[in-house]
């Protein structure tokens, strides 16, 4: 499911790889690629366009966080928009009324009867007493199918094989449930191959007579964008309360699932992914989005960075580096920012491609602790001017931090190397844009 879409989205983010910043040009290219990916997944054209417009808008206004790359930032933006596109929050089934009536609607073959059985099993698993109702009166096999499913999940089925009026049957089922003290009545109905007036009238009459708490529209996810038109037609007549996407185990490109909420503004409540009675899941927009992107870890990395990195502090440090004035105080501050994001192993593990490859590696967060305590034992003057550190000062610091003089010397050496590197980099930066000023260069 969604494999092609995932691959293409990943490709879209790659256009940002190696780019230092998000800018108008590279974002436009990425967004175009995302739109192509959505269209190829059979997402409704208008939905795809509006989606990418929103992504573009957000990307342009995005705060630049130095701790994450533009590709990671973009992944996070697309993820958030995907979650919204899929409905934002998980929408739970409402179970109220005595009994609570749940009406199942949809085209023939969409998976209504199968879903009715699954839903009965699901609700029974929550400790509710359920009555299934065979409301598809046109095919004898339909009532039989529901009875078989009912016995599989051990839920009683109300059926009146002589009666050809679905409304009368459903009303009788509700009376029976009341008499028996059953909490939920699920009404399976007949579908047609395509939208037709007789079917719409029948389902509308059922709605009027039963006043259901939930009307669930069942749709085959393999039908792609067509599903959108069907959903619209059903919603116009029924004003249904939720959507059930079936056959998500097939090789659906995902277009229906991604378009439907935007078009009818009704939440997807369940996904069905197999013929077995257990193959039913509550729909979670956030989980689905990270499944589509295959990059849930990057998303949480960006979230953590957003929550913890102090942008002003990062700017200040960068300015100090540019002036070759980076000192131990700054070093400490940088260490602390990194530490706030979590332990090193967790952070590394979140990067795509690293994942559990490092699970056996022993990454020592205590290495940081030693450095920290050494710096903390320095006086402010020493932190600002490491040159001050002579033999006796080193002795004092080693003693105060509980570390050795060798460790301190190692830290000093590394720190000096780092400063030299920054200096070299600053020099290079200073020279490069200055080319026209080079001696002998024609002005
Ligand atoms: N693979 C798969 N098959 C399904 C799923 N839901 C239903 N089916 C199959 O689709 C066919 C039609 O389902 P049915 O419930 O009879 O549809 P109805 O006409 O809407 O009642 C049956 O063969 C079901 O076994 C699903 O989630 N995955
Ligand atoms: Mg059926």
């Amino acid at each position: 499911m969604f494999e092609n879409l995932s691959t293409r989205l990943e490709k879209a983010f790659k256009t940002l790889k190696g780019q230092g910043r998000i800018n108008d040009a590279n974002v436009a290219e990425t967004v175009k690629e995302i739109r192509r990916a959505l269209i190829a997944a059979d997402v409704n054209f208008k939905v795809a366009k509006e989606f990418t417009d929103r992504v573009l808008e957000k990307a342009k206004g995005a705060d630049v966080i130095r701790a994450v790359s533009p590709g990671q930032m973009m992944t996070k933006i697309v993820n958030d928009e995907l979650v919204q596109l899929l409905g934002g929050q998980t929408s739970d089934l409402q179970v109220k009324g005595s009994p609570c009536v749940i009406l199942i609607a949809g085209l023939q073959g969409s998976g209504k009867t199968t879903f009715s059985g699954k839903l009965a099993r699901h609700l029974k698993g929550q400790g509710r007493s359920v009555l299934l109702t065979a409301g598809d009166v046109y095919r004898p096999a339909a009532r039989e199918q529901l009875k078989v499913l009912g016995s599989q999940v051990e839920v009683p089925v109300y059926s009146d094989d002589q009666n050809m009026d679905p409304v009368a049957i459903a009303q009788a089922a509700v009376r029976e449930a009341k008499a028996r003290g059953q909490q939920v009545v699920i009404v399976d109905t007949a579908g047609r191959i395509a939208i037709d007036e007789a079917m719409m009238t029948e389902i509308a009459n059922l709605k009027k007579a039963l006043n259901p708490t939930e009307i669930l529209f069942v749709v085959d996810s393999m039908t792609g964008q067509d599903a959108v038109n069907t959903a619209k037609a059903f919603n116009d007549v029924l004003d249904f309360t939720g959507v059930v996407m079936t056959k998500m185990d097939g090789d659906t490109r995902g277009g229906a699932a991604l378009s439907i909420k935007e078009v009818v503004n009704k939440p997807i409540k369940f996904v069905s992914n197999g013929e077995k009675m257990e193959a039913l899941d509550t729909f979670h927009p956030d989980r689905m989005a990270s499944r589509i992107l295959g990059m849930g870890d990057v998303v949480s990395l960006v979230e953590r960075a957003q929550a913890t990195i102090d942008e002003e502090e990062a700017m200040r440090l960068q300015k100090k580096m540019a002036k070759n004035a980076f000192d131990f105080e700054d070093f400490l501050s940088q260490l602390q920012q990194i530490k706030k994001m979590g332990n090193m192993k967790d952070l590394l593990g979140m990067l795509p491609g690293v994942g559990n490859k490092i699970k056996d590696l022993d990454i020592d967060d205590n290495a940081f602790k030693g450095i920290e305590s050494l710096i903390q034992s320095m006086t402010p003057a020493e932190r600002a001017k490491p040159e001050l550190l002579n033999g006796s000062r080193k002795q004092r610091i080693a003693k105060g931090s509980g570390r050795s003089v060798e460790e301190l010397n190692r830290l000093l050496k590394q720190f000096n190397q780092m400063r030299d590197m920054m200096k070299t980099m600053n020099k290079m930066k200073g020279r490069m844009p200055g080319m026209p000023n080079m001696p002998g260069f024609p002005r």
Side-chain angles (χ1 to χ4, degrees), residues 107-115 118 139 145 188 246-249 272-275:
L107 291 181
Q108 193 176 102
S110 60
K112 290 181 300 301
T113 306
T114 310
F115 171 71
K118 290 178 178 183
R139 295 175 306 143
Q145 185 191 358
D188 182 26
T246 62
K247 308 186 193 176
M248 292 286 268
D249 52 317
S272 165
N273 41 31
E275 294 188 74

Side-chain angles (χ1 to χ4, degrees), residues 199-212:
M199 172 179 68
M200 286 303 185
T201 309
E202 179 177 308
I203 194 87
N205 286 338
L206 277 164
K207 177 186 172 178
K208 221 162 93 194
L210 300 173
N211 190 23

Side-chain angles (χ1 to χ4, degrees), residues 160-235:
D160 181 350
D161 296 355
Q162 311 314 314
N163 200 332
M164 288 298 283
D165 177 3
V167 173
I169 293 172
Q171 284 174 324
V174 170
R175 276 195 302 275
E176 176 132 342
K178 255 187 199 149
R180 291 203 227 157
Q182 279 157 325
Q183 295 162 308
V184 185
V185 178
I186 299 171
V187 182
D188 182 26
T189 64
R192 301 284 157 86
I193 300 200
I195 303 285
D196 86 358
E197 218 169 300
M199 172 179 68
M200 286 303 185
T201 309
E202 179 177 308
I203 194 87
N205 286 338
L206 277 164
K207 177 186 172 178
K208 221 162 93 194
L210 300 173
N211 190 23
T213 303
E214 290 270 6
I215 303 172
L216 298 178
F217 170 66
V218 178
V219 60
D220 180 342
S221 62
M222 309 274 282
T223 51
Q225 299 203 39
D226 285 348
V228 170
N229 301 325
T230 319
K232 239 175 155 166
F234 270 89
N235 196 43

